[in-house]
Amino acid sequence: MELVYLVAQNQQDVLTGDAGVMSAHPPIEFVLHDTRGPLRSVCAIQNMSTGRQTGSPVSNVAVARIVNPPGPELAACQGRLPDGRRTRSTAIPIYHRVFGLVALLCINVDTEKFAPDARGLVNLLRALAHLPGEVVDETFYS
């Protein structure tokens, strides 16, 4: 099934690109899972905070989404990192019209890094607010 590879490759390009918020290295982990192989599902990962890497298995939350996919809506939950820090996790299902659920894009936010007294919060916000040199007029259609 080349579709998941293409999705993964395109997402890999987006996740590892050197633009926008990703270059700020925020405490937000982005993980793309191929749902066909739960034991080695991680196709792409950026800003690792869970200790996983490409080829790692799915989490228990992702397994629940794969076994019983509820539909196109997001699934959000609270979790804990191996070192005890709390996270807010969101799983975005990616469906193919013929094959059904083919991938999950999971976003894991280390919420403790955003606490008002967190070390480095000012530097994080400064990096997120930094605008690149080039200004592009973008039109949004509704």
Side-chain angles (χ1 to χ4, degrees):
M1 188 182 315
E2 294 298 314
L3 171 69
V4 174
Y5 173 77
L6 292 174
V7 169
Q9 187 59 48
N10 289 337
Q11 192 62 46
Q12 177 82 22
D13 294 343
V14 171
L15 292 180
T16 59
D18 189 26
V21 72
M22 298 311 297
S23 62
H25 300 290
I28 304 170
E29 178 185 71
F30 297 86
V31 184
L32 180 68
H33 294 278
D34 177 345
T35 59
R36 297 172 305 144
L39 296 178
R40 297 185 44 80
S41 73
V42 176
C43 300
I45 190 165
Q46 183 68 28
N47 296 337
M48 290 179 262
S49 60
T50 58
R52 294 178 293 175
Q53 59 189 355
T54 301
S56 290
V58 295
S59 68
N60 60 322
V61 173
V63 166
R65 291 289 302 213
I66 293 168
V67 171
N68 189 18
E73 65 273 358
L74 305 178
C77 64
Q78 182 180 164
R80 287 201 184 276
L81 294 174
D83 64 5
R85 289 177 290 150
R86 292 187 318 176
T87 63
R88 181 185 193 290
S89 300
T90 302
I92 303 169
I94 301 171
Y95 287 92
H96 182 273
R97 61 184 166 83
V98 174
F99 300 112
L101 181 66
V102 294
L104 291 172
L105 175 60
C106 296
I107 303 169
N108 305 306
V109 179
D110 181 350
T111 57
E112 294 184 18
K113 299 280 182 163
F114 290 101
D117 58 345
R119 290 183 50 212
L121 181 61
V122 171
N123 290 336
L124 172 64
L125 293 174
R126 186 176 295 124
L128 290 172
H130 174 73
L131 297 173
E134 182 181 351
V135 177
V136 177
D137 289 326
E138 185 173 3
T139 303
F140 298 95
Y141 301 98
S142 55

